[in-house]
Every structure is written in structure tokens, then in C-alpha cells.
Amino acid sequence: MEVSKTYNFKTKAETLKYLQKHDLEDARVLPIYIASRKDYFINEKQRLKEIQEYFDNEYLIIRSSSKSEDTIETSSAGKFHTELNVYKNDIEALRQALTKVFLSYGRVEDDDEVLIQPMLKDLKYSGVVFTADIDTLAPYYIINYDEGKTSDTVTSGKTNALTTNIVYKHKPISRGNNLVNKVIKSCKVLEKIFNNSFLDIEFGVDGRENIFIFQVRPIVKSGKKDLSNINLDDPLKKMKKKIKKLSSPHPNLLGRKAIFGVMPDWNPAEIVGLRPKKLAISLYKELIMDNIWAYQRDNYGYRNLRSHPLLISFLGVPYIDVRASFNSFIPKTLNENIAEKLMDFYLHRLSEIPTYHDKVEFEIVHSCYYLNLADKLEDLLPYGFTKNEIKRIEFALLEMTNNIIDPKDGLYKKDLQKVSILEKKYEKVMNSDLAIVDKIYWLSEDCKRYGTLPFAGIARTGFIAIQFLESLISMGIMTREEYNSFMNSLNTINKQMNVDLLSVSKNKMKKQDFLNKYGHIRPGTYDILSLRYDEDFDNYFNVDQMEISIEEKFEFTNKQMREIDQALQENGVQINSDELITFIREAIEGREYAKYIFTKSLSRIIQLIITFGNKYGFNRDDLAFLDFQRIKELYSTLDHRDVKDIFKQDINKNKEFYVYTEAVKLPSVIIEAEDIYHFSLLLEEPNYITLKKVREKIILENKIKNSNLKGKIIFIESADPGYDFLFSKNIGGLITQFGGANSHMAIRCAELGIPAVIGAGEKNFKTWSRADTLEIDALNKQVRVIS
């Protein structure tokens, strides 16, 4: 197929007519009738009669074909009206449909057109495919489709039940469903016809899997970071080899293969984001993920995974080594053969249901004892476990849990004491005459030993506490409402901060005293670009609008306490009801307090890095790309180079590497090495639009009309084109509950450079909508509740 030059896109109708002249191989274009505005309204009756005679099909689709849509600057995808299933023999219905589409243009030019085509019979799938990543223009096919009878489900954004396939363009597809392969083949043909690698294609598939092209338009490139020239062939090839090596049987690990995920265990996607810069990920690895996590598990009675890093960075994207994680949740006293069998079950279960990747401890792994554990373990019977093996697992978890929660010698109590030591260590280091590098070194060392290590332990007991509470609900001892009341009655550090903030608003506490106490907190705990509370107080808090919150109290009834005592005794848990409730309170409150304390050291480390870096001419943006190890090495290593040269070389290297991190698209769960080339988004995964960040107050859908929307993050239920007016209000960000990567609002936000979360899902949407201020970090695929 020879194409002499790049096609100059015109209207939707003219583009489809152009396509009809070419051999599309396995794809087709439906018959076309074009009605221009001036001609149609002058000769309305004649044109309506022509339309009736032109088509054999009884039902038609009336589509927009305005000259103002599908341009190089803007696609206006889904902006104008489309009328479906118009019965051609009803002349009045046909007339009204054409008029409605013309009027949807607003100001109609004489040469504006409307496109009429037959409705596709036996429509099985409808979808949209991008022939490049819409944000970075990286070489991927993004195929979004829905099984249904209407052709606009993808662009309308009215459903979340969309299938999204992502395929690397430069790798032959060796697997996958036939539909995806056929769509990609058609895409390659269209790219050649238009001599353009950046296309936005709407398509339909009938019951015989014939592909019909409904529309082709250019992807808007202006204002985007163009990473189309980044060659990912070799990096992905190396990544595939690395995954295979890491997946091999290991003498110190149970399980025949490895799985990698962005959310299981310590949730790197949540903590540092999917595309963290070097300083953030290196700090996270240093303080927790390389060694500390395994030391804590070993100390608490789990299998010894020391020296096994938990976080694996693939082209800068942080993944959890799930095999190592699952190994670390098995009690060290459990029989080796049963442990091996249990590991194989865990890995098989996640492979079977990868959507569990962000809830493995609730849906897959049995990592502690709680009051209805025996019932949960019955789920192992269909997978070949004997009742005796299940009892052995139960008893191993019970013995370990009893050691952790013991009211006198419980391991978590020792960890709470260690956290208090860190406060004293912190003050000694900061009040010393040590040089900045020395302070950074000792703050990090003390933070690991007395901060993140005990925090990891207390966080584990916090999870156990929640499991006990959930089991009380399952057993009918307490209700969900009582659970919520209990949680609200806890005296967490967050509640204390709100009380103090209220005192500031009433002039009962000085602002500086508040900042001395809480000023070290920053929403992005490991992110040097995230400002601390004491650096941006007025944007974080509005003390003039503080509301008094009623402190909630909760007490279990005598009847509940008797039922808890009976359940504990029957289950062999060696504490009574009073001790259990005390444990739950101490564990949950302690987890929040331990994080508050260790992040004070972490936050100060980041501040000292800023001070030290500024001394050599590096700003925050530069330092975000500095590997923390380069700073640590300065404490014990001296070579011939100047510090400035060491930092500059490392920062430049990591900046150059980071474009690969931005360009690559990887699945949330890697089960097989080939997954890195071709994968489907998990159903509940939101779509993050642009690579930008916004932090602002939110406006809910029912408050839009009476609010100043400038700069705000707007919440609407679906990605409906009817909300286009929002873009005239200079909004700062957008979050929708429903919608896909190719919906109208997703495309518009990408074009206008507005950070958005499209299709957040019911859970995220409801949780985030309760906040006052949010931060959308689209690059890192994160939403942070600021206040």
C-alpha cells in the first residue's frame, strides 16, 4: 500500500469518504450520505426523500460532521449530538433528528455537515482505539471497547464496564483474543493510509467479527510531552529477561514462580506513586523496603525473608515481589510441606483473580488469627487441603498471634517503646554540631531502627486489630454502625491535630505552636516536591471556617463483653475482652502515632537535603532526581570528585532515565513476563489523564451551579459531554465515577491539560468526595486527601 503524503484531516464525513477509496483489508466503512446545512434547509423535503431512498436499512444513525471538530488542535470528541436508531420511513422523526444534530453545533456555518449512515446490524462490540498513548504519544495501542448494542458507550462515559487492552506497538502479538488482534491489524492499515501514527479511531464489530470504522481523527499533540521517539524495545526486552530470572525457583523461597504487583503489601503505588522520582523511591527502599520490612516480619514470628528486597523497580515503576511478600506472611513454625502447599495456593489464587492485588490480606493470604478464622480457612478444602492441614495452619497462626498481642509481653508494646526513643534520638541529632551530611546519615539510621522498624510492627498489629473487629461483626457481636462509632472514638494523632487546629481558629493556641507540633507533615511523605504544613499552612487549612466536631464515645455493652470473652476462650486466644479492646485501641492509635513520629525524621531528612543541595546550586526539582545513596555515601566515602559533580552526574543520569519511566505502560499485576507487552486494565482501575498535578478544594456535582469553579477539582458522576461547560470555568481538575480512557471528558482533559481521574469507581469516588481538599497527581496515578 503506497501513500504519497500525510493526510490533511477534514470533516468526519470527508475522512470516511476518503477511506472508502482505499483497501482496508479486513475493515469496512458503512454507506455515507452527507447533508450540508445550507443545501439541506433550502431543499429539505427533497433531501429527506433522497435519504430514504439512499439506504436499504430501515434504521439510521445521524451523526455530527462539523468543521470545528476533529482538527489538529482539538478533537471535540462526543461534543455534538448523535441520534441513534432513527426510523427512516418516519419522515418527521428523520427531519427532527437532522435538525437536532445541526442545532447541537451552536453557531452553524453554511458548509457545516451532518453525516447519515445505516445503523450497524448485529452490533456486538463498540470501541475506540488510540494508536499512541494519549498523554505521552508513546508507541502503544490503547483499545477500549464495550459489549453492547449502542455505538457510543465508550465516548459517552456512562459506564465503567469497559475492557481496556494496552499493547506495545513494536512487539508482535503472540497471544491475546482474536478481536484485539484484528483491531490492531486494522489500525496498522489505517496508519499507513493516513501516514500518521497518532490516530483516534472509533470502531464497531458485528456478530461475525467484521470490523467497521465509524470515525478516524488525529490525536491532539499540542501541549503534550512528546515521548514518541523514546525507544522502549531494548528496555522492555531486558525487563522481560529480568522478570524471568526473578521468577525462577529460589532456594530460600517457597513457590515455583514469582508475581509482581504495584499494590500488595506496603502499597508502593499509594505511598510513592507509580512513577516516583529517584529520591522518593530510594528513600522508601532505604527506610523500609530493602530490609526493614523483613526484619519486622521475622521478629513477629513469620518466616525469615531478611536480605530479600520487597520492592523491585522495573524501569522506575515500583513493584512488590509478591512471592517474597506471601512467604513473609507464613508462620515460621508451620510445617514446611504445608507451607509450600499454602504458598502455591496463594500464588494460584492471585493469578486466578488479579483484581485482589490491592486486598491480598483480606481475600487471599491468612496472615494472623481472628475469631472467625476457622470458617475462612474452610475455603482451602476445595484446593486439596486436608482438614488436618487446615488445623495446623490455624494453630500456627493462633500461636503467633497470641505472642504478638500478649497484654504484658506483646511484641507491639516493645515497638511502641522504641518509637518514644526515636523522639529523643531525633532531638540529640538535631541539637548536635554534626555536619549536614552526618545529620542526614544518623537521622536515617535512627529512623530505621527506632522508627520504621517499630512502625512496621505496630502497623501489623493494627491490621490484626482490624481483623478482630471485622470478626466481631461477622459473628454478630457488633454491628457495622458500632464499628464506625468505635473507630471514631479512637484518640488518633489526626483527631488531636483537628482539636488543636480548632484551638488555633479560636485563638486558644498559637499558630506557631501548632506548626511546631505538626509542621513536619507533608501529603507526599517521601516527595521532596510536596510542601510541609509549615511551608504552606494557609493553602492546607482555612482556620476561619473550622467547624466544631462532636467527640464520639463508644463503650461495648456488658452483654457484648461476655460474648467476646466466650469467643476468645473458645478460640484459644489468651486474653480477655478488656485486654482485647485495649489491644485494639493501642494498636490502631499506636500505628498513627508511630507514623507521625518517624515521618518527623523523614521530613527533616528531606529538609536537610534541600539545604545541602541548595548550597551547591540544586533546587527541589533537581534534587527530586537524586539517589539517596549518593548522600549516604558522602558520610563514609571520600573520593577525588566534588560534591557538586557527584550530584550533577547522578541527577542528570536519573533525569535521562526518567523519560523511560514516563513513557512505559505496565500492568498492575505481572503474572507472566509477556504481560509487559500486552495486558488489560483491571476493571476497577481508574484512568489518570495528563501527567500533571493539582491540589485544590473540591466541588461536588450538586454544588456546581452556585460555586466559583476556577481552579477547583470538580466531581461529576459520569464523563458526559454535557459537562463541557466546565472547561470554560478554568477548573483545576476533574474526577468522575464512571468513564473510560477514551470517553469524551478524558479526551477533553487530555487536550486541555487538565489533570483528571476518569472512572474512579464507586469506592474511590465516595471516599474522595468526602474530603475538603485533594491532590491529583496524574503522573504517579495518585489521589491524596489533603484536608
Side-chain angles (χ1 to χ4, degrees), residues 644-656:
K644 184 173 183 177
D645 293 334
I646 294 172
F647 280 17
K648 185 176 181 180
Q649 183 179 356
D650 193 63
I651 288 169
N652 289 342
K653 177 192 71 176
N654 293 326
K655 282 183 176 180
E656 291 174 8

Side-chain angles (χ1 to χ4, degrees), residues 477-495:
I477 295 176
M478 73 185 301
T479 66
R480 178 61 63 183
E481 290 71 21
E482 288 173 324
Y483 171 93
N484 292 333
S485 295
F486 175 83
M487 295 298 288
N488 289 332
S489 72
L490 297 175
N491 187 27
T492 62
I493 192 70
N494 185 62
K495 179 175 286 187

Side-chain angles (χ1 to χ4, degrees), residues 659-683:
V659 296
Y660 291 91
T661 306
E662 291 179 300
V664 73
K665 298 185 77 68
L666 297 171
S668 296
V669 181
I670 300 174
I671 297 172
E672 304 292 342
E674 283 289 331
D675 292 346
I676 66 174
Y677 292 111
H678 179 191
F679 60 94
S680 298
L681 290 186
L682 300 180
L683 189 60

Side-chain angles (χ1 to χ4, degrees), residues 496-512:
Q496 295 171 28
M497 186 179 73
N498 288 334
V499 171
D500 287 343
L501 192 61
L502 184 62
S503 297
V504 172
S505 72
K506 295 181 174 298
N507 295 318
K508 294 181 179 179
M509 182 178 188
K510 293 181 179 179
K511 176 181 172 181
Q512 189 56 50

Side-chain angles (χ1 to χ4, degrees), residues 665-715:
K665 298 185 77 68
L666 297 171
S668 296
V669 181
I670 300 174
I671 297 172
E672 304 292 342
E674 283 289 331
D675 292 346
I676 66 174
Y677 292 111
H678 179 191
F679 60 94
S680 298
L681 290 186
L682 300 180
L683 189 60
E684 82 287 353
E685 230 176 323
N687 299 283
Y688 289 82
I689 309 300
T690 79
L691 304 178
K692 297 183 179 180
K693 181 188 293 186
V694 62
R695 178 190 296 162
E696 254 298 353
K697 293 185 179 298
I698 73 167
I699 302 291
L700 301 181
E701 186 170 345
N702 61 352
K703 300 289 181 64
I704 287 175
K705 290 184 178 179
N706 300 316
S707 302
N708 178 8
L709 307 186
K710 184 177 181 180
K712 303 298 190 297
I713 296 174
I714 312 302
F715 275 68

Side-chain angles (χ1 to χ4, degrees), residues 23 59 88 92 109 113 260 322 324 331 401 416 433 489 498 603 607 656 658 682 712 737 746:
D23 177 14
Y59 289 92
K88 76 168 185 179
E92 181 57 25
E109 303 293 339
E113 302 166 344
F260 303 94
V322 178
T401 303
L416 284 172
D433 294 328
S489 72
N498 288 334
S603 188
Q607 292 303 100
E656 291 174 8
Y658 193 67
L682 300 180
K712 303 298 190 297
Q737 181 172 338

Side-chain angles (χ1 to χ4, degrees), residues 587-749:
I588 299 175
E589 293 173 357
R591 176 181 60 191
E592 301 307 310
Y593 178 72
K595 182 178 181 181
Y596 164 79
I597 294 300
F598 96 73
T599 55
K600 187 173 184 180
S601 294
L602 171 56
S603 188
R604 180 58 62 188
I605 289 169
I606 293 174
Q607 292 303 100
L608 291 175
I609 291 172
I610 293 171
T611 301
F612 189 65
N614 289 345
K615 179 181 176 182
Y616 294 96
F618 300 104
N619 58 31
R620 285 188 188 226
D621 290 323
D622 294 326
L623 295 168
F625 291 96
L626 180 65
D627 190 329
F628 182 66
Q629 293 304 315
R630 300 294 81 75
I631 302 171
K632 269 195 78 177
E633 289 166 356
L634 295 177
Y635 177 75
S636 57
T637 302
L638 178 66
D639 64 26
H640 66 286
R641 295 173 298 165
D642 292 334
V643 170
K644 184 173 183 177
D645 293 334
I646 294 172
F647 280 17
K648 185 176 181 180
Q649 183 179 356
D650 193 63
I651 288 169
N652 289 342
K653 177 192 71 176
N654 293 326
K655 282 183 176 180
E656 291 174 8
F657 168 74
Y658 193 67
V659 296
Y660 291 91
T661 306
E662 291 179 300
V664 73
K665 298 185 77 68
L666 297 171
S668 296
V669 181
I670 300 174
I671 297 172
E672 304 292 342
E674 283 289 331
D675 292 346
I676 66 174
Y677 292 111
H678 179 191
F679 60 94
S680 298
L681 290 186
L682 300 180
L683 189 60
E684 82 287 353
E685 230 176 323
N687 299 283
Y688 289 82
I689 309 300
T690 79
L691 304 178
K692 297 183 179 180
K693 181 188 293 186
V694 62
R695 178 190 296 162
E696 254 298 353
K697 293 185 179 298
I698 73 167
I699 302 291
L700 301 181
E701 186 170 345
N702 61 352
K703 300 289 181 64
I704 287 175
K705 290 184 178 179
N706 300 316
S707 302
N708 178 8
L709 307 186
K710 184 177 181 180
K712 303 298 190 297
I713 296 174
I714 312 302
F715 275 68
I716 59 175
E717 189 168 271
S718 65
D720 187 341
Y723 286 92
D724 244 9
F725 70 91
L726 293 173
F727 301 120
S728 66
K729 306 290 185 181
N730 294 319
I731 64 173
L734 181 70
I735 295 179
T736 74
Q737 181 172 338
F738 303 110
N742 299 308
S743 64
H744 169 70
M745 298 302 263
I747 295 171
R748 293 291 284 143
C749 287

